[in-house]
Coordinates of all heavy atoms in Angstrom, one line a residue:
G230 N -12.4 -234.8 -86.3 CA -13.7 -235.5 -86.7 C -14.3 -234.8 -87.9 O -14.0 -233.7 -88.3
H231 N -15.3 -235.5 -88.4 CA -16.0 -235.0 -89.7 C -16.7 -233.6 -89.5 O -16.5 -232.8 -90.3 CB -17.0 -236.1 -90.1 CG -17.8 -235.6 -91.3 ND1 -17.3 -235.6 -92.5 CD2 -19.1 -235.2 -91.4 CE1 -18.2 -235.2 -93.4 NE2 -19.3 -234.9 -92.7
D232 N -17.4 -233.4 -88.4 CA -18.1 -232.2 -88.2 C -17.1 -231.0 -88.1 O -17.3 -230.0 -88.8 CB -18.9 -232.2 -86.9 CG -20.2 -233.1 -87.0 OD1 -20.5 -233.6 -88.1 OD2 -20.8 -233.3 -85.9
A233 N -16.1 -231.2 -87.4 CA -15.0 -230.1 -87.2 C -14.4 -229.8 -88.6 O -14.2 -228.7 -88.9 CB -14.0 -230.5 -86.2
H234 N -14.1 -230.9 -89.3 CA -13.4 -230.7 -90.6 C -14.4 -230.0 -91.6 O -14.0 -229.0 -92.3 CB -13.0 -232.0 -91.2 CG -12.4 -231.9 -92.6 ND1 -11.2 -231.4 -92.8 CD2 -13.0 -232.2 -93.8 CE1 -11.0 -231.4 -94.1 NE2 -12.1 -231.9 -94.7
Y235 N -15.6 -230.4 -91.6 CA -16.6 -229.9 -92.6 C -16.9 -228.4 -92.3 O -17.0 -227.6 -93.2 CB -17.9 -230.7 -92.5 CG -18.9 -230.3 -93.6 CD1 -18.7 -230.8 -94.9 CD2 -20.0 -229.6 -93.3 CE1 -19.6 -230.4 -95.9 CE2 -20.9 -229.2 -94.3 CZ -20.7 -229.6 -95.6 OH -21.6 -229.3 -96.6
L236 N -17.1 -228.1 -91.0 CA -17.4 -226.7 -90.7 C -16.2 -225.8 -91.0 O -16.3 -224.7 -91.5 CB -17.7 -226.6 -89.2 CG -18.7 -225.5 -88.8 CD1 -20.0 -225.7 -89.5 CD2 -18.9 -225.5 -87.3
T237 N -15.0 -226.3 -90.7 CA -13.8 -225.5 -91.0 C -13.6 -225.2 -92.5 O -13.4 -224.1 -93.0 CB -12.5 -226.2 -90.5 OG1 -12.6 -226.4 -89.1 CG2 -11.3 -225.4 -90.8
V238 N -13.8 -226.3 -93.3 CA -13.6 -226.2 -94.8 C -14.7 -225.3 -95.4 O -14.4 -224.5 -96.2 CB -13.6 -227.6 -95.4 CG1 -13.7 -227.5 -96.9 CG2 -12.4 -228.3 -95.0
T239 N -15.9 -225.4 -94.9 CA -17.0 -224.6 -95.4 C -16.8 -223.1 -95.0 O -16.9 -222.3 -95.9 CB -18.4 -225.0 -94.8 OG1 -18.6 -226.4 -95.1 CG2 -19.5 -224.2 -95.3
A240 N -16.3 -222.8 -93.8 CA -16.0 -221.4 -93.5 C -14.9 -220.9 -94.3 O -15.0 -219.8 -94.8 CB -15.6 -221.4 -92.0
Q241 N -13.9 -221.6 -94.6 CA -12.8 -221.2 -95.4 C -13.2 -221.0 -96.9 O -12.8 -220.0 -97.5 CB -11.6 -222.1 -95.3 CG -11.0 -222.1 -93.9 CD -10.0 -223.2 -93.7 OE1 -9.9 -224.2 -94.4 NE2 -9.1 -223.0 -92.7
A242 N -14.1 -221.8 -97.4 CA -14.6 -221.7 -98.7 C -15.4 -220.4 -98.9 O -15.3 -219.8 -100.0 CB -15.5 -222.9 -99.1
Y243 N -16.1 -220.0 -97.9 CA -16.9 -218.8 -98.0 C -16.1 -217.6 -97.4 O -16.7 -216.6 -97.1 CB -18.2 -218.9 -97.3 CG -19.2 -219.8 -98.1 CD1 -19.2 -221.1 -98.0 CD2 -20.0 -219.2 -99.1 CE1 -20.1 -221.9 -98.8 CE2 -20.8 -219.9 -99.9 CZ -20.9 -221.3 -99.7 OH -21.7 -222.1 -100.5
R244 N -14.8 -217.7 -97.3 CA -13.8 -216.7 -97.0 C -14.0 -216.1 -95.5 O -13.8 -214.9 -95.3 CB -13.9 -215.6 -98.0 CG -13.4 -216.0 -99.4 CD -13.2 -214.9 -100.3 NE -12.8 -215.4 -101.6 CZ -13.6 -215.3 -102.7 NH1 -14.7 -214.7 -102.6 NH2 -13.1 -215.8 -103.8
W245 N -14.4 -217.0 -94.6 CA -14.4 -216.6 -93.2 C -13.0 -216.9 -92.7 O -12.4 -217.9 -93.1 CB -15.4 -217.5 -92.4 CG -16.9 -217.2 -92.7 CD1 -17.6 -217.5 -93.8 CD2 -17.8 -216.5 -91.9 NE1 -18.9 -217.1 -93.7 CE2 -19.0 -216.5 -92.5 CE3 -17.7 -216.0 -90.6 CZ2 -20.2 -215.9 -91.9 CZ3 -18.8 -215.4 -90.0 CH2 -20.0 -215.4 -90.7
D246 N -12.5 -216.1 -91.8 CA -11.3 -216.3 -91.1 C -11.5 -217.4 -90.0 O -12.5 -217.3 -89.3 CB -10.7 -215.1 -90.5 CG -10.3 -214.0 -91.5 OD1 -9.8 -214.4 -92.6 OD2 -10.5 -212.8 -91.2
T247 N -10.7 -218.4 -89.9 CA -10.9 -219.5 -89.0 C -9.7 -219.5 -88.0 O -8.6 -219.3 -88.4 CB -11.0 -220.8 -89.7 OG1 -9.8 -221.1 -90.4 CG2 -12.2 -220.9 -90.6
L248 N -10.1 -219.8 -86.7 CA -9.1 -220.0 -85.7 C -9.5 -221.0 -84.7 O -10.6 -220.9 -84.1 CB -8.8 -218.6 -85.0 CG -7.9 -218.7 -83.8 CD1 -6.4 -219.0 -84.3 CD2 -7.9 -217.4 -83.0
W249 N -8.7 -222.0 -84.6 CA -8.9 -223.1 -83.6 C -8.2 -222.8 -82.3 O -7.1 -222.3 -82.3 CB -8.5 -224.4 -84.1 CG -9.5 -225.1 -85.0 CD1 -9.5 -225.0 -86.3 CD2 -10.6 -225.8 -84.6 NE1 -10.6 -225.7 -86.8 CE2 -11.3 -226.2 -85.7 CE3 -11.1 -226.2 -83.3 CZ2 -12.5 -227.0 -85.7 CZ3 -12.3 -227.0 -83.3 CH2 -12.9 -227.3 -84.4
G250 N -8.9 -223.0 -81.2 CA -8.3 -222.8 -79.9 C -8.9 -223.8 -78.9 O -9.6 -224.7 -79.3
E251 N -8.5 -223.6 -77.6 CA -9.0 -224.6 -76.6 C -10.5 -224.6 -76.5 O -11.1 -225.6 -76.1 CB -8.3 -224.3 -75.3 CG -6.9 -224.6 -75.3 CD -6.2 -224.4 -73.9 OE1 -7.0 -224.4 -72.9 OE2 -5.0 -224.2 -73.9
E252 N -11.1 -223.4 -76.8 CA -12.6 -223.3 -76.7 C -13.3 -223.8 -77.9 O -14.6 -223.9 -77.9 CB -13.0 -221.9 -76.4 CG -12.4 -221.4 -75.1 CD -13.0 -222.1 -73.9 OE1 -14.2 -222.3 -73.9 OE2 -12.2 -222.4 -73.0
G253 N -12.6 -224.2 -79.0 CA -13.3 -224.6 -80.2 C -12.9 -223.8 -81.4 O -11.8 -223.2 -81.4
L254 N -13.8 -223.7 -82.3 CA -13.5 -223.0 -83.6 C -14.2 -221.6 -83.5 O -15.4 -221.5 -83.2 CB -14.1 -223.8 -84.8 CG -14.1 -223.1 -86.1 CD1 -12.7 -222.9 -86.6 CD2 -14.9 -223.9 -87.1
T255 N -13.4 -220.6 -83.9 CA -14.0 -219.2 -84.0 C -13.8 -218.8 -85.5 O -12.7 -218.9 -86.0 CB -13.2 -218.2 -83.1 OG1 -13.4 -218.6 -81.7 CG2 -13.8 -216.8 -83.3
V256 N -14.9 -218.4 -86.1 CA -14.8 -217.9 -87.5 C -15.4 -216.5 -87.5 O -16.3 -216.2 -86.8 CB -15.6 -218.8 -88.5 CG1 -15.0 -220.2 -88.5 CG2 -17.1 -219.0 -88.1
T257 N -14.7 -215.6 -88.3 CA -15.1 -214.3 -88.4 C -15.2 -213.8 -89.8 O -14.4 -214.3 -90.7 CB -14.2 -213.3 -87.6 OG1 -12.9 -213.5 -88.1 CG2 -14.2 -213.6 -86.1
C258 N -16.1 -213.0 -90.1 CA -16.3 -212.3 -91.4 C -16.9 -211.0 -91.2 O -18.0 -210.8 -90.8 CB -17.2 -213.2 -92.3 SG -17.3 -212.6 -94.0
G259 N -16.0 -209.9 -91.4 CA -16.5 -208.6 -91.0 C -16.7 -208.5 -89.6 O -15.9 -208.8 -88.7
H260 N -17.9 -208.0 -89.2 CA -18.2 -207.8 -87.8 C -19.0 -209.0 -87.2 O -19.4 -208.9 -86.0 CB -19.1 -206.5 -87.6 CG -18.4 -205.3 -88.0 ND1 -17.3 -204.8 -87.3 CD2 -18.5 -204.4 -89.0 CE1 -16.9 -203.7 -87.8 NE2 -17.6 -203.5 -88.9
R261 N -19.1 -210.0 -87.9 CA -19.9 -211.2 -87.5 C -18.9 -212.3 -87.0 O -17.9 -212.6 -87.7 CB -20.7 -211.7 -88.6 CG -21.7 -212.8 -88.2 CD -22.7 -213.0 -89.3 NE -23.7 -212.0 -89.3 CZ -23.8 -211.1 -90.3 NH1 -23.1 -211.1 -91.3 NH2 -24.8 -210.1 -90.2
T262 N -19.2 -212.9 -85.9 CA -18.3 -214.0 -85.4 C -19.2 -215.2 -85.0 O -20.3 -215.0 -84.4 CB -17.6 -213.5 -84.1 OG1 -16.8 -212.4 -84.4 CG2 -16.7 -214.6 -83.5
V263 N -18.8 -216.4 -85.3 CA -19.4 -217.6 -84.9 C -18.4 -218.4 -84.1 O -17.3 -218.6 -84.5 CB -19.9 -218.4 -86.1 CG1 -20.5 -219.8 -85.7 CG2 -20.8 -217.7 -87.0
R264 N -18.8 -218.9 -82.9 CA -18.0 -219.7 -82.1 C -18.7 -221.1 -82.0 O -19.8 -221.1 -81.5 CB -17.8 -219.1 -80.7 CG -16.9 -217.8 -80.8 CD -16.7 -217.2 -79.4 NE -15.9 -216.0 -79.5 CZ -16.3 -214.8 -79.8 NH1 -17.6 -214.6 -80.0 NH2 -15.5 -213.8 -79.9
A265 N -18.0 -222.1 -82.4 CA -18.5 -223.5 -82.3 C -17.7 -224.3 -81.4 O -16.5 -224.2 -81.4 CB -18.5 -224.1 -83.7
Q266 N -18.4 -225.2 -80.7 CA -17.7 -226.1 -79.8 C -17.9 -227.6 -80.3 O -19.0 -227.9 -80.9 CB -18.3 -226.0 -78.4 CG -18.0 -224.7 -77.7 CD -18.6 -224.6 -76.3 OE1 -19.4 -225.3 -76.0 NE2 -18.1 -223.6 -75.6
F267 N -16.9 -228.4 -80.1 CA -16.9 -229.8 -80.5 C -16.5 -230.7 -79.4 O -15.8 -230.3 -78.5 CB -16.0 -229.9 -81.7 CG -16.3 -229.1 -82.9 CD1 -15.9 -227.8 -83.0 CD2 -17.1 -229.6 -84.0 CE1 -16.3 -226.9 -84.0 CE2 -17.4 -228.8 -85.0 CZ -17.0 -227.5 -85.1
T268 N -16.9 -232.0 -79.6 CA -16.3 -233.0 -78.6 C -14.9 -233.2 -79.0 O -14.4 -232.8 -80.1 CB -17.1 -234.3 -78.8 OG1 -16.8 -234.9 -80.1 CG2 -18.6 -234.2 -78.6
P269 N -14.1 -233.8 -78.1 CA -12.7 -234.1 -78.4 C -12.5 -234.9 -79.7 O -11.5 -234.8 -80.4 CB -12.2 -234.9 -77.2 CG -13.0 -234.4 -76.1 CD -14.4 -234.2 -76.7
A270 N -13.6 -235.7 -80.1 CA -13.5 -236.5 -81.3 C -13.9 -235.7 -82.6 O -13.9 -236.2 -83.7 CB -14.4 -237.7 -81.2
G271 N -14.4 -234.4 -82.4 CA -14.7 -233.5 -83.5 C -16.2 -233.5 -83.8 O -16.5 -232.9 -84.8
A272 N -17.0 -234.0 -83.0 CA -18.5 -234.0 -83.2 C -19.0 -232.6 -82.8 O -18.6 -232.1 -81.7 CB -19.2 -235.1 -82.5

């Protein structure tokens, strides 16, 4: 979905490491981590 794609691309553009798993998207930059959850459709 759009939200999942937009958040992933934005994180990568700002050089965050991205990892998708069963729990959603995890992005890390240094000691900071953001974990985002989405619906199966990507909202």
Side-chain angles (χ1 to χ4, degrees):
H231 177 74
D232 291 350
H234 175 75
Y235 188 76
L236 211 59
T237 302
V238 170
T239 301
Q241 291 170 342
Y243 285 91
R244 298 189 181 112
W245 289 73
D246 294 323
T247 59
L248 177 65
W249 276 96
E251 290 184 21
E252 297 296 318
L254 174 64
T255 300
V256 296
T257 56
C258 185
H260 297 290
R261 189 169 282 111
T262 300
V263 178
R264 291 180 179 86
Q266 295 177 345
F267 299 84
T268 66

